[in-house]
Amino acid sequence: MLKFFSRVERTRNLIIIGFAFIMAASLVLFYAPGRNSSVAAPASNNEVLATVNGEDVTVGDLQTLKDSYMQMFGGQISLAQLGGDKRFLDGLIRDRVIAQEAARLGLAASDGEVADKIRKEFRDQSGKFVGFDRYKQSVVSRYGSVERFERQIRDQIAAEKLQAFVTAGVNVSETEVQDDYKRKNTGFNIVYVPVTADKLAAKIQPSDDELRAFFEQHKTEYRIEVPQKKVRYLYIDQVKAGEKLQISDADLRTEFDKLAPDKKQAGVRVQQIVFKIARPDLDEQVRQKAMTLMTQLRGTAAGPVSEEAFATAAKGNSEDAATAQNGGYLPAPVKRDLNKANPLYDRMLDMQEGEMSDVVKNGNNYYILRRGASVPKTFEDAKPELLASQRNSRAYSIAAQLASRAEARLKETKDYTKVAQELAAEANMNPADMVKETPYIKPGDDVPNIGSNQKFEEAIAPLENPNDVGVRTGVRGGFAIPMLLDKREPRIPEFEEVKDKVAQGLKQERAKQQLEQKAAELAGSAATAADLKTAAEKLGLEAKTEDGYKLGSPLGEAGTSPAADDAIFNLKEGELTKTPVRIGDNFVVIGATKRTEADLAEFAKQRQQLLEGALSARRNQVFDDYITSLQARLQREGKIKINKDVLAKVSEDEPSAAPPRRPQFPINVK
C-alpha cells in the first residue's frame, strides 16, 4: 500500500504536466474538416529521426513538440530548461508505441470521433465553431500542417481508449486511501538529532604519526594520474578595462534607434475590476457576481471591450479603491520580468489591445482584466540598459585587444612584470594585481580565482616546457595569458603535498566506524523525547526541533526516507526511536513531543475527491508501467530505431538536461 502511494506522489507531476499540455493545445482555435486538407509550413521537415515498427518520427514532429512547450509556458521558460532533443524524441516514440498498441487492439479513433472531439472542445465565445479559415491558419502556424495536428488529436483519443481498456480492472480501497490520508495529515512536533560522519569527523584530531601511517597504507589512492602544471598568468579585468569608457548620448541614441519595435515598449496599460472574497463561504457568490459583470461587458459581441465601458464598470463595481477611481487602470504599465513571473498580469502581454480576460481567481480575489494600449519606451527609459550593454560589449572588446597585445609581448619578453607595467594604465589596473600564479594543477581542478575552466585547461595543455606562453583565454571576469613555470609527471605524491586530503580521509573513515555506535549510544541514553536534547549535548551533538512536521518533509540536513516516515508515524507522544534510523549514509534519532491525529471528519468531506484522485493515480501508474514494458520489448526486438546522425545534427545547440516527460495523452482532470 505504501509503495502505491509513493507512486501516487511521483505520478502527480506527470498528471499536472499532462493537463497543462492539454490547456496549451486548447489555445488553438479550429474545427475538424476532412482529412485531406494540407498546407505547407516550417514545421513540415520530414527528415526521419526515428522509426517505430516501421512508422517514422520526423524532425518536424520534434520541432512541433518543442514549439508546443514554448507556447504552453508563454515564453517564461527556455528550451534549455525544458531539456534536450533526445528526451523530447523519447516522448514522441512513446506516443507512437501507444497509438500502435491501440490500433492493434482495435481501439483506434474513427474520423467521426476526431471530428466530434474537435468540434466540442474548440468553440468561440458564443459557443459556435470558429470556422475553417481560422482553424487552418492557427493549426498550420503552430503545427506545420492540418494532418499533423489532427494526428495528435487522433492519437489522444486512441490513448484514452487504450488506457481505459488496460486499467478497467484497477481499483483502490477506501481503507488504503484513508490510511494514506492519516499519514499525510497527522502532525508532529518533533525533536531530532542527526548523527553524521562530517560532524563526528570534525571532532577527530589525528596526530601526524597517525596521518603518516594512514598515508602509507593508502598511498596508491592518492596517486596523481596525469601531469600537474604550475602556471603564472597575466590577468586583464574586463570590468576595470571598461570603467574609463566614455559613451556619448549620440552613440546610445544610435543604438536605441536600432532596437526592434518590441524592445521599445515599456509595457502595456492594464485595467482591472477586483471582487474581494470576504469569507471562504462567499467564494461562489463572488465568482457569480464577477461572471455576470463579465458577460455584461462582453455583450453579444466577441470583439474588444472599449476603455470607457470598462472604466465605467470599474468605478461602479471594483472593490479595489486605488484603481477603481482611475477607471481600473494599474498605476504602472505591466511588463514581463523573466526573473519573476506574475501569473495574474503577465497574461495581458499576450493579448490584443481591448481584449478582456475571463474571470480570474488570484489569492482571495476575483479579477476581470482588460489589455490597454502599449506604452512606448522613451530614450531616457532605455538609456540605463543601453549604457550597461554598450559598456559591457565595448569593455569586452578593449580587454580582448589588451589580452592579444599582452600575449604577443609575453611571447617576446617572457617577462610578466614588464608586460604588466606596460599595459597597466590602459587596463586600469595595478601591475601587481595583473600577475597571478596557480598551484600545481591538473585538468578538472578548481583553480583559485578561475574555478574549473575548460578553456583555461585547453590553453595550458600544449605548454610542455618552462616559459612556454599560451594563447589568451576567457576566464571569470576577463582574460588570462598563461605561461608554464613547472611540470610534474604522474606520480605518488609526497605526504606533505596531500596532507590535508589524508587528514580528511582518515577522519571520515574513523567517523563512519563510529557512526552507528554513536547513534545507538544516543538513543539508549534518552528515556523520552524530552530527554533527547540533553542527551545529545552530552555527546557533543546538536538536537533540532520542528513543529507541525508532516511525513515526507526533510528533517533539515538529515533529509528523509520511507524508513524515517514509518518510524515517526509509529511514535506516540513522548516516545523516541530507540533504534536509530538510517537516512543515506547517516543516522538520526527522533522523538515526538506532540502528536496531532488527522481529522477524519475532514476526510469524510473530501472522501469522494480523494478516492477519485487515488484511483486516477493508480490507473495512470498501471498504464505507465504497461507502456514502459511494451516499449522496452520493442527496443529489445530492434523495432525502435533512432537515426543518431540526424538527432546529432538537430541537437548541436541543445542542452542535455532532462525535461519533464511529455504527456502521452490527455487525462480528464476535474
Side-chain angles (χ1 to χ4, degrees), residues 157-360:
I157 296 171
E160 289 175 337
K161 288 183 173 183
L162 179 61
Q163 187 191 24
F165 176 80
V166 170
T167 64
V170 174
N171 209 337
V172 59
S173 72
E174 182 170 346
T175 300
E176 289 177 291
V177 178
Q178 187 179 85
D179 288 346
D180 182 65
Y181 179 85
K182 289 179 181 178
R183 288 178 63 88
K184 289 180 178 177
N185 292 279
T186 298
F188 299 85
N189 289 359
I190 60 172
V191 55
Y192 65 97
V193 182
V195 185
T196 66
D198 288 343
K199 290 194 175 179
L200 294 184
K203 300 179 181 300
I204 297 172
Q205 299 297 328
S207 67
D208 271 9
D209 288 343
E210 289 174 317
L211 291 176
R212 288 183 182 278
F214 185 80
F215 174 70
E216 290 299 323
Q217 295 169 3
H218 301 85
K219 62 168 52 181
T220 57
E221 298 174 17
Y222 296 97
R223 177 178 176 80
I224 299 171
E225 302 291 348
V226 296
Q228 288 177 300
K229 294 180 180 180
K230 188 172 186 178
V231 172
R232 179 177 294 142
Y233 63 95
L234 191 143
Y235 176 66
I236 306 293
D237 188 310
Q238 180 179 325
V239 173
K240 288 187 176 296
E243 284 179 352
K244 291 186 175 182
L245 281 173
Q246 298 298 320
I247 302 174
S248 68
D249 276 8
D251 289 342
L252 294 177
R253 192 170 288 279
T254 298
E255 293 302 317
F256 178 73
D257 292 340
K258 293 179 183 177
L259 291 176
D262 63 315
K263 301 298 183 184
K264 290 184 178 181
Q265 289 186 6
V268 299
R269 299 198 70 197
V270 173
Q271 291 171 281
Q272 68 176 14
I273 300 173
V274 182
F275 298 89
K276 296 184 178 180
I277 307 168
R279 303 192 310 269
D281 59 299
L282 298 177
D283 188 298
E284 181 59 23
Q285 181 180 331
V286 175
R287 189 185 74 85
Q288 287 297 334
K289 181 179 178 182
M291 291 290 292
T292 299
L293 180 59
M294 179 193 71
T295 303
Q296 291 173 355
L297 282 169
R298 282 184 172 154
T300 57
V305 175
S306 72
E307 176 183 10
E308 295 76 11
F310 196 95
T312 300
K315 290 176 181 178
N317 296 275
S318 182
E319 296 173 14
D320 179 52
T323 57
Q325 62 185 359
N326 193 31
Y329 272 112
L330 300 180
V334 171
K335 55 184 177 181
R336 200 183 305 277
D337 184 348
L338 296 179
N339 296 316
K340 186 178 181 181
N342 187 326
L344 176 61
Y345 296 120
D346 282 354
R347 70 190 71 217
M348 293 289 98
L349 298 169
D350 299 318
M351 296 171 67
Q352 300 299 314
E353 183 175 344
E355 192 174 352
M356 189 177 73
S357 74
D358 292 329
V359 173
V360 179

Side-chain angles (χ1 to χ4, degrees), residues 60 148 194 325 351 360 421 430 520 537 595 605:
R148 178 175 277 119
Q325 62 185 359
M351 296 171 67
V360 179
Q421 291 171 343
N430 185 315
E537 290 173 350
R595 177 181 176 123
K605 294 178 184 178

Side-chain angles (χ1 to χ4, degrees), residues 238-516:
Q238 180 179 325
V239 173
K240 288 187 176 296
E243 284 179 352
K244 291 186 175 182
L245 281 173
Q246 298 298 320
I247 302 174
S248 68
D249 276 8
D251 289 342
L252 294 177
R253 192 170 288 279
T254 298
E255 293 302 317
F256 178 73
D257 292 340
K258 293 179 183 177
L259 291 176
D262 63 315
K263 301 298 183 184
K264 290 184 178 181
Q265 289 186 6
V268 299
R269 299 198 70 197
V270 173
Q271 291 171 281
Q272 68 176 14
I273 300 173
V274 182
F275 298 89
K276 296 184 178 180
I277 307 168
R279 303 192 310 269
D281 59 299
L282 298 177
D283 188 298
E284 181 59 23
Q285 181 180 331
V286 175
R287 189 185 74 85
Q288 287 297 334
K289 181 179 178 182
M291 291 290 292
T292 299
L293 180 59
M294 179 193 71
T295 303
Q296 291 173 355
L297 282 169
R298 282 184 172 154
T300 57
V305 175
S306 72
E307 176 183 10
E308 295 76 11
F310 196 95
T312 300
K315 290 176 181 178
N317 296 275
S318 182
E319 296 173 14
D320 179 52
T323 57
Q325 62 185 359
N326 193 31
Y329 272 112
L330 300 180
V334 171
K335 55 184 177 181
R336 200 183 305 277
D337 184 348
L338 296 179
N339 296 316
K340 186 178 181 181
N342 187 326
L344 176 61
Y345 296 120
D346 282 354
R347 70 190 71 217
M348 293 289 98
L349 298 169
D350 299 318
M351 296 171 67
Q352 300 299 314
E353 183 175 344
E355 192 174 352
M356 189 177 73
S357 74
D358 292 329
V359 173
V360 179
K361 186 176 182 182
N362 189 66
N364 291 322
N365 300 325
Y366 280 103
Y367 293 81
I368 304 173
L369 305 172
R370 177 187 175 274
R371 157 78 183 260
S374 297
V375 179
K377 182 184 290 185
T378 66
F379 170 69
E380 291 301 324
D381 292 334
K383 187 175 177 179
E385 297 176 17
L386 292 170
L387 183 60
S389 175
Q390 285 298 300
R391 189 179 295 280
N392 184 60
S393 62
R394 295 190 188 188
Y396 177 88
S397 178
I398 290 173
Q401 292 173 11
L402 282 172
S404 294
R405 287 167 54 193
E407 178 187 333
R409 289 291 292 141
L410 284 169
K411 288 179 177 177
E412 292 174 11
T413 66
K414 310 294 185 181
D415 189 336
Y416 269 73
T417 302
K418 180 178 180 179
V419 175
Q421 291 171 343
E422 291 176 0
L423 300 179
E426 292 181 73
N428 192 29
M429 296 178 69
N430 185 315
D433 294 334
M434 298 175 68
V435 180
K436 300 180 181 293
E437 197 170 290
T438 74
Y440 284 95
I441 57 175
K442 62 184 185 300
D445 281 353
D446 194 344
V447 182
N449 302 313
I450 290 179
S452 181
N453 187 306
Q454 185 176 354
K455 291 186 179 296
F456 187 74
E457 292 175 4
E458 291 172 355
I460 67 176
L463 310 182
E464 294 294 334
N465 302 303
N467 295 327
D468 282 353
V469 176
V471 298
R472 74 167 200 196
T473 185
V475 295
R476 185 185 300 164
F479 291 88
I481 304 93
M483 181 175 75
L484 183 65
L485 294 181
D486 191 24
K487 178 181 177 181
R488 289 178 174 174
E489 296 299 334
R491 71 200 191 288
I492 294 177
E494 297 297 324
F495 168 71
E496 292 297 334
E497 291 181 66
V498 291
K499 183 177 179 180
D500 289 345
K501 290 184 177 180
V502 172
Q504 184 180 6
L506 176 56
K507 288 180 179 182
Q508 285 289 325
E509 182 175 285
R510 288 187 179 177
K512 288 178 180 178
Q513 293 170 354
Q514 300 173 11
L515 204 59
E516 188 169 6

